[in-house]
Amino acid sequence: AQEPRVDAGARRRLLGVVGLDYENAKAQKEYWENGDRGYRVLHKSILDLTRYLTSLGKLTKACEQVLKKTLAWMQDEVGVCAVTGDCGFMMAYQILCRDTVDVPVFMSPLMFCRTLLHAMGEDQRIVILTAGAPEMEEQRDFLQATCGLDIRSRRVMILGCEEIAGFALLAKKGIIGDPEEIRASLMRRLQMCLEEWAKTGIDVGAIVVEAPQLLPYVGELRRLARLP
């Protein structure tokens, strides 16, 4: 899928997402989707950038070259205004990616969580919406070291989407289901959680969407939760 190139200095709302290589024939390697507030989102998987490799925080020489070329292509040819990643372990490549392009780079939105916590009341919590809670738990020590984020803190709640219809295979296989099915199931799940949190006196101050595949639903999530 191609988007028309934009002139430098006149970048539109295009977000580039560096994706894992799920080594699965059914997983899309490059695709566009609509995000929130008029953004278009380009997902592009990097050859041989596997979940195992990112968990080590390392890159092969060949993979590093592919990553750099993809970043340059996103910036110079596609005209993205920012770059992020689709796995928290990609924070290990934050400096490399930042130094490769001139547009803002945040390899995981989780790097903003500490700022959000300081901006909210001490009794308020953030909810991190992720593709798979077990996979995020695997990243606990890494996120503590790179983002200063303790996902087991009482002020942080993880809401995994592994049981959401259409999302079950995303975290492990890179396969996503029908968008309408995901939307309906996701909204039902969040509505139930919001009601339960209200009953137990949990005050949620913000929702952080960690999985870029959830970006098409951010507007509806915001309207439902009435939260940033």
Side-chain angles (χ1 to χ4, degrees), residues 66-131:
V66 174
L67 175 57
K68 287 181 176 179
K69 288 181 179 179
T70 300
L71 290 168
W73 169 74
M74 284 183 170
Q75 173 182 267
D76 300 333
E77 298 298 323
V78 179
V80 300
C81 64
V83 174
T84 188
D86 72 352
C87 173
F89 281 132
M90 288 190 188
M91 277 300 300
Y93 315 134
Q94 171 69 26
I95 295 176
L96 170 68
C97 295
R98 180 200 67 193
D99 291 346
T100 301
V101 291
D102 296 324
V103 296
V105 173
F106 48 98
M107 294 309 290
S108 171
L110 298 181
M111 63 193 296
F112 301 115
C113 286
R114 287 188 66 190
T115 300
L116 284 173
L117 288 170
H118 284 300
M120 299 187 317
E122 292 185 359
D123 293 329
Q124 288 186 307
R125 307 187 192 189
I126 60 172
V127 173
I128 297 176
L129 201 56
T130 184

Side-chain angles (χ1 to χ4, degrees), residues 20 22 24-32 43-45 174-176:
L20 292 175
Y22 288 96
N24 187 306
K26 294 182 180 180
Q28 296 187 71
K29 303 300 183 181
E30 179 183 330
Y31 63 97
W32 287 90
H43 295 259
K44 176 70 173 178
S45 66
I175 301 173
I176 193 166

